[in-house]
Amino acid sequence: TPLAAITGAVTTLQRSDEAPLHADQRAEQLDTIGQEAARLNRFVTNLLEMSRIDQGVVKVRRDWVDVGDAIRLAVERTRKTHPGRQTRVSLAPDLGFVRGDQDLLSQVVFNLLDNAHKYGETEVSVHARNEGDQVTISVTDDGPGVKPADLERIFEKFFRAGGTDRRKPGTGLGLSICRGLVRAMGGTIKAESPAIRRRGTRLIVRLPLAELPKEEEAR
């Protein structure tokens, strides 16, 4: 757990007077503390967000949201959280707007990307395009995939997909939060597996397109 790793690193640093650490060893322990503190922060954030969703107190603004901007913010955050992992981005040039909350939409995409990087092996891709009267956002990983019986259950609170390949660190809340936030914005979310070459999982979010007022289009 994050707390165990943080405690271990702090204890090692505290004992460095007895057994001096090299500069690279000290830097490694500090890096561990930073990474695990960030992971603990994500856990607590997810727990609080899930609590708000359960209590029905999530307030979704009905602003004009540039879907492309929300995705780019999520990708930038993901690259900091998963350095060294590849995230491919493909956004349609005519990608539309939705009515909702840009921060919440960005959080949804980040949770999907974070989940995909945990279970993927080499790279994760995010695509967005207009489909009829909806905007479709898909996040795909190249991991072992999800059993057909679990495709709906992965959105349940605290559910962790069976099999050792998918027992990754986490709270089992990320996708449940995504479903709650997407529904609050009037959209849907589902999972497909396999996604590519009999492997991987694809998470698909669909949100209703919103027509910009003429004064907004003119800007």
Side-chain angles (χ1 to χ4, degrees), residues 74-150:
V75 170
E76 181 180 350
R77 182 179 169 194
T78 301
R79 286 171 174 161
K80 293 177 181 177
T81 306
H82 298 277
R85 299 298 298 273
Q86 185 174 359
T87 302
R88 293 196 299 112
V89 184
S90 176
L91 306 180
D94 61 342
L95 195 58
F97 282 67
V98 299
R99 290 300 299 271
D101 189 313
Q102 179 166 295
D103 291 340
L104 294 186
L105 180 55
S106 185
Q107 180 66 43
V108 167
V109 178
F110 171 77
N111 279 10
L112 295 180
L113 290 169
D114 184 50
N115 184 77
H117 276 297
K118 287 178 183 175
Y119 299 121
E121 295 182 357
T122 56
E123 69 175 24
V124 167
S125 62
V126 54
H127 300 271
R129 62 188 181 280
N130 299 336
E131 287 188 345
D133 60 353
Q134 296 179 318
V135 173
T136 298
I137 303 168
S138 64
V139 174
T140 307
D141 68 56
D142 59 354
V146 176
K147 297 176 183 177
D150 291 341

Side-chain angles (χ1 to χ4, degrees), residues 191-202:
E192 295 179 349
S193 186
I196 47 175
R197 295 187 289 276
R198 299 183 182 181
R199 291 178 59 79
T201 305
R202 179 174 293 119

Side-chain angles (χ1 to χ4, degrees), residues 64 212-219:
W64 299 106
L212 281 172
K214 291 183 178 180
E215 60 268 22
E216 290 288 338
E217 292 179 347
R219 291 183 182 177

